[in-house]
């Protein structure tokens, strides 16, 4: 990882932590609108980034079309998330539960694969996946108390920010092919 990538990861982690703290400070009536806006904006940026990456580099790679499909799907999720502004709050919380649960399952499966194939930070990935899944379960438990569920979401955002900062300081392995 280059110095610029490390700095970018640290800044992203700090931004995530600050955004979570700001979410907690926002009045109860506006929390859902802010969460929807941030989720939609984050997904849109990621989708556009993947699509641009496909057209600049990935179309020349083996399996590059998967990145294009991923970018289009994430961009669709961003548009769907942005359209949830006038929906009852329970559906938004269920959407957040789905995002956390899916992310937790995927991260746990990646950790298991990394454990079998390569040496590396599989333990941190496993813990990250378990925490995401636990956050989804906590959101389901407190779904009737919508302010508590948003607080749980903010705690998950803080945890993700801390993980980004920790991963920026980890050593990366270099593979040399002679």
């Amino acid at each position: 990882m280059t110095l610029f990538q490390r700095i970018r990861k640290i800044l992203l982690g700090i931004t995530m932590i600050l955004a979570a703290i700001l979410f907690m400070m926002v009045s109860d009536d506006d929390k859902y609108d802010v969460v929807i806006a941030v989720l939609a904006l984050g997904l849109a940026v990621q989708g556009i980034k993947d699509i641009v990456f496909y057209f600049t580099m990935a179309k020349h790679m083996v399996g590059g079309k998967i990145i294009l499909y991923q970018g289009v799907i994430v961009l669709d999720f961003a548009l769907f998330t942005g359209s949830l502004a006038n929906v009852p709050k329970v559906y938004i919380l269920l959407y957040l539960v789905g995002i956390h649960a899916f992310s937790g399952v995927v991260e746990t499966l990646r950790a298991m694969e990394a454990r079998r194939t390569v040496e590396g930070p599989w333990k941190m990935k496993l813990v990250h996946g378990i925490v995401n899944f636990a956050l989804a379960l906590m959101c389901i438990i407190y779904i009737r108390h919508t302010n508590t569920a948003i607080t749980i979401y903010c705690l998950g955002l803080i945890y993700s920010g801390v993980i980004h900062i920790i991963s920026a300081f980890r050593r990366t392995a270099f593979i040399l092919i002679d």
Side-chain angles (χ1 to χ4, degrees):
M1 188 179 308
T2 65
L3 180 64
F4 178 72
Q5 289 171 334
R6 290 182 193 274
I7 291 171
R8 189 173 69 188
K9 252 189 170 331
I10 291 170
L11 289 176
L12 178 65
I14 291 171
T15 304
M16 290 172 79
I17 293 170
L18 291 176
I21 292 170
L22 286 175
F23 284 162
M24 288 185 204
M25 293 180 170
V26 173
S27 68
D28 291 341
D29 297 335
D30 297 332
K31 281 185 180 180
Y32 291 99
D33 295 332
V34 171
V35 167
I36 288 173
V38 168
L39 277 174
L41 182 66
L43 289 171
V45 166
Q46 182 63 41
I48 291 170
K49 187 173 125 182
D50 286 347
I51 292 170
V52 167
F53 178 69
Y54 170 76
F55 284 113
T56 56
M57 294 212 32
K59 69 179 178 181
H60 304 293
M61 295 168 35
V62 175
K65 284 188 181 179
I66 292 173
I67 294 173
L68 176 65
Y69 299 148
Q70 176 183 331
V72 170
I73 289 171
V74 169
L75 192 58
D76 285 343
F77 274 122
L79 295 174
F80 175 71
T81 303
S83 70
L84 290 177
N86 298 325
V87 187
K89 296 175 181 178
V90 173
Y91 295 120
I92 298 167
L93 292 176
L94 289 174
Y95 185 66
L96 287 175
V97 167
I99 290 172
H100 274 293
F102 182 75
S103 174
V105 168
V106 167
E107 198 68 27
T108 304
L109 291 174
R110 282 183 180 172
M112 293 299 155
E113 181 183 2
R115 181 178 178 215
R116 279 183 278 133
T117 58
V118 295
E119 296 291 325
W122 67 270
K123 291 177 186 176
M124 189 169 80
K125 286 183 180 186
L126 180 65
V127 169
H128 188 65
I130 291 171
V131 167
N132 265 338
F133 198 71
L135 286 171
L137 287 176
M138 287 174 51
C139 281
I140 289 174
I141 292 169
Y142 294 109
I143 199 158
R144 296 216 185 264
H145 308 286
T146 53
N147 293 332
T148 307
I150 292 296
T151 304
I152 291 170
Y153 173 72
C154 291
L155 292 175
L157 199 58
I158 290 171
Y159 178 75
S160 293
V162 169
I163 290 294
H164 272 82
I165 293 171
I166 290 171
S167 67
F169 289 110
R170 293 194 79 134
R171 292 181 138 212
T172 54
F174 290 100
I175 299 173
L176 297 175
I177 300 173
D178 291 331

